[in-house]
Amino acid sequence: MAAFRVRIVMNLNGVTAEERQVDLGEGRQHDPAFLAINPQGAIPVLVLDDGRSLVQSMAIIEYFEDTCPEPPLLPADPPGRARVRALAQMAVADGHPLVSPRVRTYLEVELGRGEAQYMAWSRHFMGRALEAMEGHLARDAETGMFCHGDRATLADICLVSQVTGFSYFGGTADAFPVVTRINAACMEIDAFRHAHPRAQPDAPKGQAPRPPATAA
Amino acid sequence: MAAFRVRIVMNLNGVTAEERQVDLGEGRQHDPAFLAINPQGAIPVLVLDDGRSLVQSMAIIEYFEDTCPEPPLLPADPPGRARVRALAQMAVADGHPLVSPRVRTYLEVELGRGEAQYMAWSRHFMGRALEAMEGHLARDAETGMFCHGDRATLADICLVSQVTGFSYFGGTADAFPVVTRINAACMEIDAFRHAHPRAQPDAPKGQAPRPPATAA
């Protein structure tokens, strides 16, 4: 989901990078060679031409916003920027981390829970995040064709990754009509559609974009 | 923890606001009157003079960064900004959401786990977030007296709230020497010390800053 977000932004900005896969299912994020790049053992990682590595999808996306101002992923006015960033955080902070591999491991090893309960847990928390987004989107006058007006922003990128993750765990976003409408509008855009996990040549799971970032 | 972060930033920026408490222990975040302000039912919320409400601590802090440029909470160079934002997300996304009231409820109601297991769960994931921060801080040349050089940034604000939350769940940060050193340096600063949950007049738990934000 996090690599999906970064791929969308790179597509929107027309930035290319050599992409390398890290198989989370096989635990490759814990390999010493990968930990040297990201001590947290998580994806995505963007390795710049000078060798520095950027981690955490929100930080990487804001890096592109800082270095590739077109198209803007945040509105110009500060309250609007706060609204877009808040919608993003509902997905990225309050949804996604609840379903990470380390949570799955804890549920299995420490709490003795199996696959079905991990899936139910994940549907629950991914759905709660979408419910939070829906509550704000349905209420706010700023909601337009997309989360904030009629251009895709950071919030839409996070919404799409959240809906995709939710469906991976068996959830359907029908209960969230504004979310569903915006997700469909986003998926009409090439930059979103081509970044989708299903559209990738191989690995449907963890993906790590890698150098050179021409924006670096 | 999230309100603690916002209080630090407001102290650093010299912004004052009427502060209202929301008792999370009693579930007051689910009251209809509060849900009208934040449909997600979470704190903190910053209500601007024009009535708009900003939510999610990271979005609120970036709002202050956008509107009160002194002191800067992010470095000027894009890779540095990405590093600071990434360290912040390790706490705010990968730590804090794992110990929210809704997680506690799910562990209790759906998985039949009690107080001791919620505390152990919380120690584990709050510690994992600090471990991730320590890994980057111990490795990177950019680490100085604070997380990024010799001035406190957004990363330090999140580090301090993370250490405080970890200790609430019975953890000690001794295993993370760089984190421990930086936390101590931050707590020498009035803006941090005065924002600490223990330094607040009443409620040790949920706190919601409220209007008027003079920065609005």
Side-chain angles (χ1 to χ4, degrees), chain A residues 16-107:
Chain A
T16 54
E18 178 194 343
E19 197 166 314
R20 297 196 195 163
Q21 313 296 325
V22 179
D23 192 326
L24 303 183
E26 292 197 359
R28 291 282 79 83
Q29 72 272 31
H30 305 305
D31 287 352
F34 184 75
L35 290 174
I37 297 171
N38 182 6
Q40 188 177 13
I43 62 161
V45 178
L46 180 75
V47 182
L48 303 181
D49 289 337
D50 67 8
R52 274 189 290 188
S53 50
L54 309 185
V55 300
Q56 292 280 342
S57 67
M58 283 301 94
I60 293 171
I61 293 172
E62 293 264 8
Y63 171 81
F64 283 118
E65 181 72 2
D66 283 339
T67 55
C68 304
E70 286 298 326
L73 300 175
L74 291 168
D77 64 304
R81 295 163 74 82
R83 180 170 179 272
V84 167
R85 284 180 168 130
L87 288 165
Q89 287 290 99
M90 289 174 207
V92 171
D94 293 339
H96 189 174
L98 275 296
V99 304
S100 69
R102 63 189 184 287
V103 169
R104 178 180 202 146
T105 299
Y106 196 98
L107 285 171

Side-chain angles (χ1 to χ4, degrees), chain B residues 4-128:
Chain B
F4 179 21
R5 292 190 284 272
V6 172
R7 281 197 302 270
I8 296 170
V9 175
M10 294 176 74
N11 289 346
L12 285 169
N13 285 315
V15 174
T16 55
E18 179 195 342
E19 197 167 312
R20 298 196 194 164
Q21 312 297 323
V22 179
D23 192 326
L24 301 185
E26 293 197 358
R28 291 283 77 85
Q29 71 274 30
H30 304 307
D31 287 352
F34 184 74
L35 291 174
I37 297 171
N38 182 4
Q40 190 178 11
I43 62 162
V45 179
L46 180 75
V47 182
L48 304 181
D49 289 338
D50 66 8
R52 274 189 290 188
S53 50
L54 309 185
V55 300
Q56 291 282 344
S57 67
M58 283 301 94
I60 294 172
I61 293 172
E62 293 263 9
Y63 171 81
F64 283 118
E65 181 72 2
D66 283 339
T67 55
C68 306
E70 286 299 324
L73 299 176
L74 292 168
D77 64 305
R81 296 164 74 83
R83 179 172 180 270
V84 167
R85 285 180 168 129
L87 288 164
Q89 287 291 98
M90 288 173 206
V92 170
D94 293 338
H96 188 175
L98 276 294
V99 304
S100 68
R102 64 190 183 288
V103 170
R104 177 180 203 148
T105 299
Y106 196 99
L107 286 171
E108 282 178 7
V109 175
E110 302 292 333
L111 301 182
R113 301 299 168 161
E115 176 77 8
Q117 282 156 321
Y118 168 68
M119 295 295 278
W121 164 284
S122 299
R123 268 195 310 279
H124 175 78
F125 286 110
M126 294 294 281
R128 286 291 296 269

Side-chain angles (χ1 to χ4, degrees), chain B residues 159-181:
Chain B
L159 180 148
V160 164
S161 76
Q162 188 66 18
V163 169
T164 300
F166 188 47
S167 72
Y168 174 82
F169 294 110
T172 95
D174 297 350
F176 315 117
V178 185
V179 164
T180 298
R181 171 178 70 70

